[in-house]
Amino acid sequence: MRARLILEDGTVCVGKAFGAATETLGEVVFNTGLTGYQEVLSDPSYCGQIVTMTYPLIGNYGVNRDDFEAVRPFIHGFVVREHCDTPSNWRNTQTLDELLKAYEIPGISGVDTRMLTRKIRHYGTLRGMITTNDTPAEELIASLKESSLMIDQVSRVSTKSVFSAPGTGDRIVLVDFGSKHGILRELTKRGCDVVVVPYNVTAAEIRRLQPDGILLSNGPGDPKDVPQAIQMISEILGEYPLFGICLGHQLFALASGADTEKLKFGHRGGNHPVKELTTNRTYITSQNHGYAVKEDSIAGTGLEVTHIALNDNTIEGLSNQAKRAFSVQYHPEAAPGPYDSGYLFDQFLEMVAKAKGEKKHA
């Protein structure tokens, strides 16, 4: 079946439909990962987006039950150069096409993804749609220009109720803004007693759980669209050790008095170099975000920049030692090859242990 990817600037890409034969609207972005398409599809941070994979062959190792980062995908559409419908891997349980059909997600193949990526890099992210109908492109482009993208992604992907992953170690409250399973895995393998709470949890509700530390998860969209989370963090900041990841990093910055801005085309992929300023060491990181903390908004907030992106010098890490809080813009729970960034979870738990020791001897 013929499909079209239509962008608000008038670009029309004709290709072959796979996945669900439905029409979808979203922000068109690109991911530079060579592998990991299953993790991309199931990362809640992609809610509301149509993702273009820059690697030309996608689907060649199929889909398995173990590599999901959420219980279901929230992505709005998938764009590839070549879609493989005969995967070969010993863990494969279904094809990419079957996965997309099961969750009613449309895909389009046969698209010049290099051209599309260059366009996004030049003009920035664009509204787009994938459609299999025959409506004239001019009508669809006009509707795209008038359309609004969703702003309630976090409420869509966050847990609706509190649940726990019991452990014998420190009690960590994980605030779920669209958390990847990898974050929970990193905490539980360190023995933590994890309590997962919804994005709109209040400071009072967190206090009642008597945590040893708080972790702010990743999630989709603009951090300023979650004002209740900013308020909660500002109220509780300094009471417990705090670690923020991706959207959690941006919310921590906003709660501290800093500001955020939308990037031209964002960072999405598994090979982004980040420099840790205290050690001058470079880490290869996994990233997925469209917003960043504004450097000129840090002054007077008590925040210190700890990491920067070597591709564009944007802020990748913050710390407030007086408040026992820190954050990173990238994903330390992801392992795109190296496992180097896992030390951040150990650093967080060391901070928790130190805080508990000080409280005991107070």
Side-chain angles (χ1 to χ4, degrees), residues 25-29 48-51 76 125-128 149 153 262 268 290-291:
L25 171 71
E27 181 184 44
V28 183
V29 300
Q49 295 180 326
I50 296 172
V51 179
H76 275 204
T125 54
L126 297 164
R127 293 183 185 88
L149 298 176
Q153 298 100 310
K262 185 174 176 61
R268 299 174 180 88
Y291 292 80

Side-chain angles (χ1 to χ4, degrees), residues 171-183:
R171 171 166 289 185
I172 304 301
V173 167
L174 172 57
V175 186
D176 177 18
F177 301 110
S179 179
K180 293 168 61 182
H181 286 170
I183 294 176

Side-chain angles (χ1 to χ4, degrees), residues 137-150:
E138 294 76 14
E139 294 182 23
L140 296 176
I141 293 166
S143 68
L144 270 175
K145 290 179 178 179
E146 298 172 358
S147 65
S148 299
L149 298 176
M150 65 168 58

Side-chain angles (χ1 to χ4, degrees), residues 281-299:
R281 179 174 178 179
T282 297
Y283 295 87
I284 302 302
T285 68
S286 176
Q287 303 203 11
N288 175 19
H289 60 275
Y291 292 80
V293 178
K294 296 175 67 173
E295 185 176 4
D296 60 7
S297 72
I298 296 296

Side-chain angles (χ1 to χ4, degrees), residues 18 30-37 51-61 78-85 96 108-115 117:
F18 69 103
F30 64 87
N31 183 292
T32 59
L34 305 185
T35 60
Y37 56 81
V51 179
T52 301
M53 299 299 293
T54 61
Y55 191 72
L57 179 62
I58 301 297
N60 53 316
Y61 55 84
F78 208 41
V79 182
V80 302
R81 179 70 183 94
E82 182 179 352
H83 158 239
C84 176
D85 56 8
L96 176 59
I108 180 172
S109 64
V111 173
D112 185 349
T113 52
R114 293 184 69 180
M115 174 278 295
T117 299

Side-chain angles (χ1 to χ4, degrees), residues 132-200:
T132 56
N133 67 39
D134 294 323
T135 304
E138 294 76 14
E139 294 182 23
L140 296 176
I141 293 166
S143 68
L144 270 175
K145 290 179 178 179
E146 298 172 358
S147 65
S148 299
L149 298 176
M150 65 168 58
I151 60 171
D152 61 344
Q153 298 100 310
V154 170
S155 65
R156 292 172 182 250
V157 301
S158 174
T159 182
K160 301 300 184 285
S161 59
V162 178
F163 69 92
S164 64
T168 58
D170 300 315
R171 171 166 289 185
I172 304 301
V173 167
L174 172 57
V175 186
D176 177 18
F177 301 110
S179 179
K180 293 168 61 182
H181 286 170
I183 294 176
L184 188 57
R185 284 194 295 267
E186 290 296 326
L187 292 173
T188 55
K189 81 178 184 182
R190 288 168 170 81
C192 295
D193 179 29
V194 184
V195 182
V196 183
V197 298
Y199 78 100
N200 55 356

